[in-house]
Amino acid sequence: MKYKVCGRLGKNLKAGWLALVLSVLPAFVVADEPPEDPAHAHDPANVWFIGRGGQLYDSWMATTMAEKPWGNHPAYPAIGNKRGYPTWRCKECHGWDYKGKDGAYRYGAHRTDIKGVRGVLGMEPAEIQKIIMNETHAFTEDQLPHSAVEMLSYFLSFEQIDMDKYIDRRTKKALGDFDEGAHAYQSVCALCHGYDGKKINFASQKYPSYVGSVCARNPWQALHKIRYGQPGTGMVALSNVDLGIVVDILSYCQTLPEE
Ligand code: HEC
Ligand code: HEC
């Protein structure tokens, strides 16, 4: 049945609906972004703190120089291919894209079928700290001192991003601006990696791996590392630089030689 609301009341109702829709809309649009943070995540001192959280997620042992654990992590599943201390890295179970079994690690050599960490975005850091130190994770305080757990929790609550917004999952292409990226790369990164990215070889002479190789083959790993730096080395971190520029750099790096 159809009914009509006339006159002023009708207009007000329509305006009311419009206002309601408009007020709900931004909530959907930004729901994926980190929430307003009570801890002032972008205060200069905290940028460092949270940036370290990103490095710890990559490799807490390389970041803190903690002793590498022996054997496999107790929660590392039988279907996994990795052995020993790498199975203790957060990224090994939860992925470079933070999406675990729903992300790039849903198949291939790093598959674990463990879920990602996207679900804790915006969660109270204290709650995340409890999860990180729970029985499943089996970390000791020697491995992850409280300060490190705090940094990780802030990174996960405030800073982790939805990489599908910046990297096309199917083609692996970064959705940045090549020209902007070229300028930024040649000003910041070329110093260490060379103008063509070939000054540092991460692998062997026979099977070399350069900036161009990592960015083309594993753009999720590259995006995380360009934001937070390479743990245990002097590589710069761009954690407080506009994310757009970081994605531009990734776009440019995907055009550098892979071999
Ligand atoms: C050996 C594999 C493994 C490693 C390494 C690992 N985790 Fe986990 N993590 C798990 C499993 C398993 C769960 C539980 C998943 C479930 O509830 O289905 C989990 C759950 C989580 C959750 C909760 C996700 C959610 O949405 O409920 C967070 C946060 C988390 N891990 C953070 C970390 C951090 C930070 C590190 C590194 C310091 C880490 N994990 C290392 C296996 C791992
Ligand atoms: C101060 C020197 C320095 C600067 C500046 C620098 N890096 Fe690095 N980068 C390194 C070092 C050292 C490594 C680790 C080399 C190794 O593991 O053999 C590295 C590693 C990497 C890796 C590979 C990480 C992996 O997956 O193993 C990538 C990708 C990378 N850098 C990209 C960049 C980009 C892009 C920039 C510019 C934003 C940049 N780097 C700036 C020193 C630097």
Side-chain angles (χ1 to χ4, degrees):
M1 196 170 74
K2 223 171 155 191
Y3 64 90
K4 216 170 153 188
V5 189
C6 312
R8 217 182 151 69
L9 177 64
K11 265 193 200 136
N12 281 346
L13 274 181
K14 272 186 211 150
W17 274 111
L18 189 67
L20 186 69
V21 168
L22 285 180
S23 66
V24 168
L25 203 61
F28 284 121
V29 174
V30 298
D32 227 356
E33 297 301 329
E36 280 294 310
D37 60 287
H40 311 294
H42 293 280
D43 277 2
N46 292 337
V47 170
W48 164 253
F49 189 84
I50 293 176
R52 292 288 280 188
Q55 283 208 355
L56 289 160
Y57 181 86
D58 173 337
S59 174
W60 50 267
M61 48 208 114
T63 305
T64 65
M65 305 289 169
E67 209 175 309
K68 287 175 181 153
W70 270 95
N72 283 10
H73 187 288
Y76 192 75
I79 60 153
N81 274 330
K82 303 291 154 188
R83 294 290 170 263
Y85 70 85
T87 64
W88 291 74
R89 292 167 69 184
C90 314
K91 79 92 197 165
E92 196 55 56
C93 291
H94 298 300
W96 287 116
D97 53 11
Y98 325 121
K99 295 192 172 181
K101 65 182 166 63
D102 301 314
Y105 282 0
R106 70 186 172 283
Y107 48 66
H110 296 274
R111 179 177 165 192
T112 62
D113 286 350
I114 292 171
K115 75 160 150 171
V117 286
R118 296 288 300 145
V120 304
L121 181 72
M123 189 186 273
E124 202 52 55
E127 293 303 311
I128 302 178
Q129 289 161 26
K130 284 187 206 151
I131 298 176
I132 297 173
M133 292 311 276
N134 69 13
E135 270 179 30
T136 305
H137 282 120
F139 293 117
T140 66
E141 277 187 39
D142 281 342
Q143 292 170 330
L144 284 182
H146 186 64
S147 60
V149 180
E150 270 186 317
M151 290 172 181
L152 277 161
S153 70
Y154 276 76
F155 162 70
L156 291 172
S157 182
F158 301 124
E159 283 289 306
Q160 56 159 320
I161 50 169
D162 179 357
M163 290 205 182
D164 287 338
K165 286 186 179 166
Y166 310 103
I167 298 166
D168 182 298
R169 185 161 288 288
R170 198 178 52 80
T171 62
K172 294 194 185 177
K173 284 275 169 283
L175 308 173
D177 181 307
F178 172 90
D179 290 325
E180 291 288 339
H183 286 286
Y185 177 89
Q186 296 301 344
S187 323
V188 181
C189 322
L191 174 70
C192 297
H193 290 286
Y195 75 95
D196 61 355
K198 289 180 70 170
K199 205 161 139 189
I200 304 181
N201 177 359
F202 314 127
S204 62
Q205 286 304 325
K206 197 167 174 208
Y207 302 106
S209 173
Y210 304 115
V211 170
S213 338
V214 178
C215 293
R217 294 170 199 167
N218 194 336
W220 305 282
Q221 173 178 346
L223 183 52
H224 184 92
K225 298 229 188 220
I226 298 170
R227 286 185 84 200
Y228 299 109
Q230 174 79 335
T233 78
M235 177 163 151
V236 289
L238 303 184
S239 48
N240 202 34
V241 171
D242 187 75
L243 181 59
I245 295 182
V246 177
V247 179
D248 295 344
I249 293 176
L250 179 60
S251 283
Y252 175 72
C253 290
Q254 290 189 322
T255 68
L256 293 174
E258 289 182 46
E259 282 165 21

